[in-house]
Amino acid sequence: MILAILQARMSSQRLPKKVLKQILGEPMLAHQIRRIRASKKIDKLVIATSDQIDDSALVAFAQEYQVEVFQGSLNDVLARFYHCASHYKATHIVRLTGDCPLSDAKIIDNTIALHINQKADYSSNCHPATFADGFDVEVITFDALQQAYYQAQEQKMREHVTLYLAKSPDAFVQANLTTSPDTSHFRVTVDNQDDFELVSQIYQSMSEQGKDFTYQEIIDWLNAHPKQSGINAHYQRNEAISVCHK
């Protein structure tokens, strides 16, 4: 079973409670879930949040939007993912993060297809990154996730689910999805207020097309609106760890 685990929490330091901030009258996370549900390869979608009281709002959100929710450790996110995957008996895990409200189902499906076709242990579209920041996808076999769970010791490798895998290229078969031309200079992840303003503008501008606007349509909009797309250009991807390890 291919299980998509959407990692989310309310205690974001730079923009607290961002995942439930409203865009066009709905929580940001609801827009992302709607886009993820267009995937043809994901069998089940689960929100994985912490067992802290702050995240009870996400449990209520999940009930309202009919998404299953799994609660686990706040800081040992690797353990949260492992126990979630074990609970649902997943064979492959798709890791997504709740700060990417423009997630594209086609990119998700293409990453899954690459992972399956190449019989990889760990696949992503981040090493190197050629997609805009905010479209990150990672796919892991359950066996690889289990190995990381038991062997990763450093705190940063417990906090960042796939860091152990990404840093062990000789131990795991890895694959990477790329796109051309390179559009990685664009940023539509939501980590701060400027990011949120940009994503809100994209939704407001493109809402007349419906909710299925594509990655390329978003890139075309960003190219056509340099003033708007530049409001968060001074923020850099988190290269200190990896663009996929937010």
Side-chain angles (χ1 to χ4, degrees):
M1 197 235 327
I2 298 177
L3 175 71
I5 300 180
L6 181 57
Q7 178 181 328
R9 63 186 175 118
M10 295 293 285
S11 55
S12 305
Q13 294 182 353
R14 297 179 186 87
L15 190 61
K17 304 178 182 180
K18 64 184 179 183
V19 295
L20 297 187
K21 285 177 71 67
Q22 298 275 308
I23 298 176
L24 298 179
E26 279 194 286
M28 187 174 86
L29 196 60
H31 291 283
Q32 182 175 6
I33 287 169
R34 186 178 295 108
R35 292 176 65 85
I36 294 169
R37 280 174 165 166
S39 166
K40 294 179 172 60
K41 295 188 177 295
I42 291 171
D43 295 314
K44 181 180 285 292
L45 171 64
V46 178
I47 296 173
T49 192
S50 87
D51 52 13
Q52 301 297 299
I53 190 66
D54 288 350
D55 287 323
S56 59
L58 283 171
V59 176
F61 165 87
Q63 292 172 345
E64 180 179 355
Y65 284 86
Q66 299 182 329
V67 186
E68 293 190 39
V69 63
F70 184 91
Q71 293 179 269
S73 172
L74 175 64
N75 296 317
D76 190 347
V77 190
L78 176 56
R80 193 195 312 170
F81 266 67
Y82 172 69
H83 292 305
C84 180
S86 298
H87 176 78
Y88 287 100
K89 297 179 171 56
T91 55
H92 300 274
I93 299 91
V94 181
R95 177 178 178 255
L96 303 167
T97 57
D99 52 7
C100 300
L102 291 168
S103 291
D104 187 284
K106 185 176 181 181
I107 296 172
I108 293 170
D109 285 352
N110 287 345
T111 308
I112 295 171
L114 178 71
H115 176 79
I116 299 297
N117 292 339
Q118 295 201 10
K119 299 180 179 179
D121 300 308
Y122 168 68
S123 304
S124 75
N125 61 348
C126 309
H127 307 293
T130 55
F131 290 89
D133 192 2
F135 294 90
D136 299 346
V137 183
E138 295 178 287
V139 188
I140 316 121
T141 64
F142 179 80
D143 289 344
L145 181 64
Q146 185 175 56
Q147 190 171 339
Y149 171 73
Y150 282 112
Q151 295 185 2
Q153 300 298 322
E154 296 179 37
Q155 176 57 35
K156 67 179 181 180
M157 290 188 176
R158 308 298 301 187
E159 181 181 354
H160 302 284
V161 178
T162 57
L163 185 57
Y164 178 83
L165 302 173
K167 298 296 185 182
S168 307
D170 295 333
F172 300 99
V173 177
Q174 301 192 12
N176 188 68
L177 183 72
T178 61
T179 188
S180 182
D182 187 332
T183 49
S184 60
H185 57 287
F186 287 122
R187 175 186 174 93
V188 291
T189 189
V190 176
D191 195 41
N192 54 63
Q193 187 61 35
D194 287 339
D195 295 333
F196 181 75
E197 293 297 333
L198 175 58
V199 169
S200 296
Q201 287 183 49
I202 292 171
Y203 266 101
Q204 289 164 7
S205 180
M206 303 186 75
S207 61
E208 293 182 359
Q209 302 178 31
K211 295 184 172 63
D212 296 327
F213 45 89
T214 66
Y215 179 77
Q216 188 56 55
E217 288 170 333
I218 294 166
I219 295 301
D220 290 345
W221 187 95
L222 292 167
N223 279 318
H225 298 82
K227 182 177 179 179
Q228 290 91 329
S229 62
I231 65 173
N232 63 353
H234 56 292
Y235 298 103
Q236 299 298 314
R237 285 183 186 246
N238 186 9
E239 297 292 355
I241 299 176
S242 163
V243 297
C244 276
H245 304 130
K246 299 173 183 175

